[in-house]
Amino acid sequence: MLSIKNLDVRVEQKEILKGFNLQINPGEIHAIMGPNGTGKSTLASVLAGKNEYEVTGGEISYLGKDLLEMSPDERAREGVFLAFQYPVEIPGVSTTNFMKAAVNAKRKHLGLDPMDAKTFLQLLNEKRAIVELSREFTSRSLNEGFSGGEKKRNEIFQMAMLEPKLAILDETDSGLDIDALRIVANGVNQLRNKDNAFLVITHYQRLLNYIVPDFVHVMYGGRIVKSGGKELALQLEERGYDWIKEEVASLA
Amino acid sequence: METIEQQFKNTPTTQLDKVRVEAFNAFEKLGIPTSRVEAWKYTNIKTKLSKDFILTPLESEVNTAVKNYIASLPPYAFRLVFLNGIFHQELSIIPEIEGLYITNLKEAFANKSSNIEQYFGKAVNYNEEHFAALNTAFVTDGAFIHVSKNVAIEEPIYLHYFFTATDADAFVQTRNLVVVEDGASLQIAEDFRNASNITVQYNHVTESFIGKNAQLTLVKLQVETKNVKGIHSLEALLQRDSTFNASTITFEGNVIRNNITAQLLGENAHADLSGLYFGKENASIDNNILVKHLAPNCTSNQLYKGVMNDESVGSFSGKIFVDQIAQKTNAFQSSKGLLLSNEASINNRPNLEIFADDVKCSHGAAIGQLDENALFYLQARGIPFELAKQLLTYAFVHEVAERIQAKPLRQFICDKLKEELKLNW
Ligand SMILES: Nc1ncnc2c1ncn2[C@@H]1O[C@H](COP(=O)(O)OP(=O)(O)O)[C@@H](O)[C@H]1O
Ligand SMILES: [Mg+2]
C-alpha cells in the first residue's frame, strides 16, 4: 500500500529525514516510536503533503502511484488521512459544514453526487457516537475552544467519517486521560479491516495496549533504527531510548 | 448648471426651498472634494467621477433586468422602486398599515406630508459635506417613511434603487428620509443595483430620525453593483434609549464610498454599525464612520471586515467622538481585513477623540492573509484548495452577516455570501 524508499527531507536547510525506509501493507498496523525532535511529525506532514517540507531524495509510492506528485487534497481524496498532533482551530466553520465539504469533495472525486442532507446527518450521528462527541460539538466552530482531548476525539471522528485507506495518527494519545484513550482506540479498532492500514506515532506504550500493532519501529536521527513486534514497545517503555542510541552509536 | 442656478435663486419661498438653496450655495463653495480633503484622502473622487455630470433626471424604460429582478422578489415584500432616481409606483408595493406612512419624497414635498419640513436636511450636514450639499440641492426622488409612536413594523421595507444610466455623465441624486417616532420600530433594506452593463454614478443620502426608545435597523445592500460609482451618506440621530443597527454589505463596485454618521443625542442610546466588503479588480471601497457620543451612558459598536482581491483598495476610517458630558460611554471599534492578492491593500484609520474621563473605548485593527495552517488542515481532509480558501473567507466574514437583527435580511445576506463564495451548503 505504502512504500517509502530512501527518503530525505529538509526543512529550512535542515536535514530531518535521512534515508528513511518503510513498507506498509493493507491490513497492517505499524507503530513508530522515538524521542522528541527525531522527525516523526515531519514524516507525517510529508505523507500528508505539507509544502514547507522539501523532499531532496527518495520516493514514496502509495497504491502504485507517486504520492509526492499529488496535492494534499488529492491524497486525502485517495484515502490518506492524517490525525494532526496539533489540530487547527477554525473559527466560523462548524465541524458539520467542514465534514460536509470533505465528504462531498471525496464523493465528487469518485464521480458521485453530493450526499443528501438526511443521509449525511445519519452518518454524522453514527460516527459521532463512536467517539462520544455530543451533537453540540459538531455544530460549534471547528476545534475552537475545544480541550486537548476533544480535539483529538474530533480527529478520530473525522477519520471515521472519511474512512481512509491509510490513516496516520500523530501522537493522538498525548495528553489524553485513560477514558479518552479508550475512546480513541475504539475508533481505530472499529475502522480497522483487512483493506486499510494505520501508522500510529506515539511516545507511550499504553496506547498500544488498546491498538495492537503488527510492527513497532524505533525512529532516531531521521530514520528507523530498529523494528520488531509489539514486545519492542514494552522494552522501550521499560528501558527508555538510551540503549537504542548506544546501539546506533556503536554501529556508526 | 446655469439654468438650475437661476431656478434656485428665483424661488426660495417654502421652507424646503430655503434648505435647498442653502445647500446649493454650500455646494457652490465646497465643490467636489480632491484627495487633499482629509476625509477623501483614500478615494480621489474628483478623478473618478465624470467631469461634467448631468443632474437632471433621466427618464428611462424599465428594462428586462429590472423586470426580472422584481419578478423574483417574494410577493409579500413591501417595496418602493426607483429607476435612475425616478419613482415607479407600478412596480412598488406600499402597505396600508395603521401608523405607517410611506410615500415618495416628491409626493411628500408636494403635500408637506407628516411635517416633512421638520426633518428634511436636518440630520445631514450640508454646510460641510460636499455630497450631502449636492444631494440636498438636486435630489430627484426617494422614499419618505414615517412610523408613528409605538408602532412596530414587523416586515422589512425594501427600497430598490436601479440604475441604467443612459448617459455616461448622469449623476443620479437619490435620498431617503426615515422617521421612527418614540417607541416605534422599523427595518429597512436599501438595495442598489446596476441594471445595465455600463458604468453608473449616483449620490445617495439617507437621513434617519430615531425617537426615544425606538429602533431602526437599516441594511444597505451593494450586491449587484458592478461598474458602480456610488456615494452614500447615512445620517442617524438617536434619542434616549433608542437603537440603531446599520449593516453595509458591499459585494462589488468600482468606486464605493459609505459615509455613516450616528449622533447619540440622548442617554442610553445604542448604535451598532457593521459592514463587510469585497474588493475586486481595481475597485476602491471606502467606509467612513463617525460616531458622536453626545450624552451619557450610550454604547456604540463598529465591526467592519473587508476581503480584497486583485488590485482593489479598501479603506476604513472610523472616528469615535466622546463629548465631555458623555460619561460612562462604551465605544468599540474593530476593523479587519483579508488580503487575497499581493496587489490588494486596506487602509485602516481609527480615530478616537475623547473629552470625558469615565469612558471605555477601544479600537482594534488587523489585516492579514488566510492562515496557511488552516488551509492545509482543510486540504488534508480532501477539500480542494480553491474551496478551502472560500470556506475560510466565509468563516472570516460571516460574523458580520450574523449580526443583522432582521431574520429575513440576515438569511438573504448569508445566502448571498454563500453564492458569492460558491459554497453550496
Ligand atoms: N516547520 C519547521 N520549521 C523548522 N524546523 C522544523 C519544522 N518542523 C520540524 N522542524 C524541526 O525538525 C525536527 C523534527 O521535528 P518533528 O518532526 O516535529 O519531530 P518529532 O515529531 O519526532 O518530535 C525538530 O528539530 C524540529 O525543530
Ligand atoms: Mg511530533
Side-chain angles (χ1 to χ4, degrees):
Chain A
M1 172 178 277
L2 182 77
S3 162
I4 306 175
K5 288 195 186 127
N6 269 318
L7 191 70
D8 299 323
V9 172
R10 262 195 224 175
V11 61
E12 289 176 358
Q13 304 307 319
K14 194 169 142 200
E15 285 185 39
I16 312 286
L17 299 188
K18 299 162 209 165
F20 187 95
N21 290 294
L22 181 65
Q23 170 80 34
I24 298 179
N25 298 310
E28 293 176 353
I29 295 186
H30 291 246
I32 292 189
M33 303 179 80
N36 267 331
T38 200
K40 302 183 297 296
S41 291
T42 300
L43 171 70
S45 296
V46 169
L47 290 173
K50 195 156 194 194
N51 63 12
E52 66 204 60
Y53 297 89
E54 189 195 349
V55 176
T56 53
E59 55 194 61
I60 307 177
S61 115
Y62 168 69
L63 297 174
K65 289 185 197 157
D66 182 354
L67 188 76
L68 296 172
E69 284 298 306
M70 295 156 77
S71 67
D73 43 302
E74 235 178 306
R75 297 179 195 197
R77 293 192 297 271
E78 288 282 341
V80 176
F81 181 93
L82 169 62
F84 284 63
Q85 181 173 5
Y86 304 108
V88 184
E89 296 194 8
I90 306 189
V93 177
S94 68
T95 303
T96 302
N97 282 338
F98 173 51
M99 277 295 102
K100 210 177 274 179
V103 165
N104 286 333
K106 186 175 169 189
R107 288 176 66 88
K108 191 172 174 188
H109 180 69
L110 298 173
L112 299 169
D113 285 335
M115 192 176 271
D116 69 83
K118 195 168 162 243
T119 316
F120 178 78
L121 207 66
Q122 275 169 358
L123 183 72
L124 193 83
N125 289 337
E126 181 194 319
K127 304 299 186 184
R128 210 164 41 73
I130 296 176
V131 290
E132 300 175 24
L133 273 181
S134 71
R135 192 182 300 272
E136 189 228 328
F137 276 100
T138 46
S139 60
R140 271 169 53 182
S141 280
L142 188 53
N143 292 325
E144 193 185 27
F146 284 25
S147 72
E150 286 159 355
K151 282 180 183 166
K152 297 299 177 75
R153 267 149 66 192
N154 196 0
E155 293 294 289
I156 300 304
F157 160 72
Q158 293 170 31
M159 181 182 81
M161 287 293 291
L162 296 170
E163 300 189 331
K165 295 186 182 116
L166 173 67
I168 303 144
L169 277 58
D170 190 2
E171 293 203 28
T172 303
D173 54 334
S174 294
L176 293 190
D177 62 28
I178 201 76
D179 284 336
L181 195 69
R182 185 185 46 74
I183 290 168
V184 163
N186 189 29
V188 172
N189 290 328
Q190 287 210 17
L191 189 68
R192 154 169 218 192
N193 64 40
K194 65 176 183 12
D195 297 318
N196 59 24
F198 291 83
L199 179 60
V200 181
I201 296 170
T202 180
H203 266 306
Y204 308 102
Q205 189 274 332
R206 61 175 194 167
L207 177 69
L208 305 178
N209 287 335
Y210 297 92
I211 305 172
V212 182
D214 302 297
F215 303 93
V216 173
H217 311 281
V218 183
M219 198 170 158
Y220 181 64
R223 65 169 75 86
I224 288 172
V225 292
K226 198 174 187 68
S227 296
K230 61 175 190 270
E231 66 292 338
L232 179 55
L234 283 169
Q235 249 178 312
L236 290 168
E237 182 87 352
E238 256 167 53
R239 300 173 58 189
Y241 290 108
D242 285 348
W243 62 284
I244 300 272
K245 292 179 189 171
E246 278 158 26
E247 265 188 36
V248 173
S250 71
L251 284 172
Chain B
M1 241 150 66
E2 238 53 65
T3 54
I4 292 162
E5 189 175 359
Q6 270 334 54
Q7 185 192 320
F8 275 114
K9 296 258 150 82
N10 290 338
T11 56
T13 48
T14 66
Q15 179 60 31
L16 272 176
D17 285 341
K18 274 183 201 141
V19 168
R20 297 185 69 176
V21 169
E22 264 180 49
F24 176 81
N25 291 333
F27 182 70
E28 270 204 325
K29 270 189 233 122
L30 294 165
I32 300 290
T34 65
S35 59
R36 281 194 301 274
V37 175
E38 189 60 19
W40 291 89
K41 187 174 166 182
Y42 297 123
T43 305
N44 194 348
I45 195 71
K46 197 158 184 160
T47 63
K48 309 251 173 170
L49 294 173
S50 58
K51 268 209 188 71
D52 298 304
F53 45 76
I54 300 171
L55 294 164
T56 41
L58 296 168
E59 281 291 350
S60 39
E61 229 181 293
V62 177
N63 67 13
T64 39
V66 175
K67 279 185 197 147
N68 288 344
Y69 182 67
I70 296 285
S72 75
L73 294 173
Y76 53 80
F78 302 158
R79 63 179 184 240
L80 273 73
V81 177
F82 299 85
L83 176 58
N84 297 325
I86 293 166
F87 179 53
H88 282 257
Q89 176 108 46
E90 80 286 3
L91 300 175
S92 304
I93 300 176
I94 301 178
E96 292 268 350
I97 292 177
E98 178 119 353
L100 173 65
Y101 179 74
I102 305 182
T103 186
N104 58 314
L105 269 183
K106 252 190 173 163
E107 186 69 25
F109 286 153
N111 299 335
K112 302 213 172 66
S113 325
S114 290
N115 297 327
I116 188 167
E117 294 189 338
Q118 214 178 295
Y119 302 106
F120 182 79
K122 295 294 191 290
V124 81
N125 184 1
Y126 55 74
N127 283 315
E128 286 175 28
E129 298 288 339
H130 309 67
F131 290 97
L134 180 68
N135 185 288
T136 305
F138 292 98
V139 56
T140 299
D141 209 349
F144 176 54
I145 304 176
H146 186 131
V147 190
S148 304
K149 259 189 185 169
N150 298 326
V151 173
I153 306 299
E154 304 290 341
E155 288 288 344
I157 294 169
Y158 287 81
L159 306 175
H160 294 285
Y161 287 91
F162 292 96
F163 301 91
T164 59
T166 40
D167 191 312
D169 288 327
F171 191 24
V172 185
Q173 310 292 309
T174 58
R175 186 166 180 128
N176 296 325
L177 179 49
V178 179
V179 180
V180 189
E181 285 195 357
D182 297 353
S185 65
L186 178 68
Q187 303 159 21
I188 294 178
E190 291 181 334
D191 184 4
F192 297 84
R193 281 171 188 263
N194 186 351
S196 72
N197 297 319
I198 57 163
T199 298
V200 299
Q201 310 179 109
Y202 63 79
N203 173 28
H204 179 86
V205 169
T206 294
E207 287 186 283
S208 56
F209 297 81
I210 310 167
K212 290 176 200 147
N213 200 27
Q215 290 178 27
L216 175 63
T217 295
L218 192 144
V219 179
K220 201 182 267 289
L221 301 170
Q222 296 153 346
V223 170
E224 302 276 338
T225 36
K226 200 172 164 60
N227 298 326
V228 160
K229 299 183 182 195
I231 296 162
H232 295 253
S233 306
L234 171 57
E235 312 292 326
L237 300 186
L238 289 84
Q239 303 301 331
R240 62 173 304 153
D241 302 310
S242 67
T243 303
F244 178 51
N245 281 296
S247 305
T248 306
I249 313 292
T250 310
F251 278 18
E252 55 188 351
N254 180 244
V255 179
I256 300 284
R257 166 71 172 222
N258 294 309
N259 296 324
I260 303 181
T261 304
Q263 303 193 48
L264 303 145
L265 301 170
E267 273 197 64
N268 265 320
H270 176 65
D272 195 292
L273 313 175
S274 55
L276 69 89
Y277 53 95
F278 290 87
K280 290 166 209 159
E281 295 168 9
N282 63 345
S284 157
I285 316 285
D286 187 347
N287 283 290
N288 202 290
I289 315 288
L290 169 60
V291 177
K292 282 176 138 174
H293 283 263
L294 303 171
N297 287 311
C298 294
T299 53
S300 69
N301 224 324
Q302 299 171 46
L303 173 68
Y304 273 74
K305 291 197 171 182
V307 179
M308 308 313 278
N309 261 297
D310 308 322
E311 300 102 61
S312 60
V313 180
S315 308
F316 174 84
S317 307
K319 180 164 164 178
I320 300 171
F321 173 90
V322 182
D323 190 273
Q324 60 184 15
I325 66 157
Q327 299 294 358
K328 307 270 180 210
T329 286
N330 267 325
F332 303 104
Q333 179 189 96
S334 160
S335 165
K336 290 186 179 153
L338 184 58
L339 304 178
L340 296 181
S341 113
N342 290 332
E343 283 76 46
S345 62
I346 293 183
N347 303 302
N348 250 327
R349 192 163 56 156
N351 184 355
L352 306 183
E353 255 179 54
I354 301 170
F355 297 99
D357 43 36
D358 186 11
V359 301
K360 276 197 195 117
C361 288
S362 73
H363 68 86
I367 293 166
Q369 274 118 19
L370 287 174
D371 178 9
E372 295 280 337
N373 287 326
L375 277 170
F376 179 66
Y377 191 61
L378 297 182
Q379 278 187 284
R381 299 296 177 254
I383 299 170
F385 186 63
E386 278 307 312
L387 181 57
K389 271 170 54 178
Q390 284 149 357
L391 265 166
L392 291 179
T393 304
Y394 180 80
F396 174 72
V397 294
H398 94 293
E399 182 190 358
V400 177
E402 297 295 338
R403 276 162 86 107
I404 297 173
Q405 305 276 319
K407 193 166 175 236
L409 291 174
R410 181 172 62 237
Q411 194 57 49
F412 175 80
I413 296 299
C414 287
D415 291 349
K416 279 284 162 197
L417 261 181
K418 285 172 196 165
E419 206 178 297
E420 171 76 13
L421 295 169
K422 301 175 195 81
L423 295 173
N424 51 358
W425 31 264

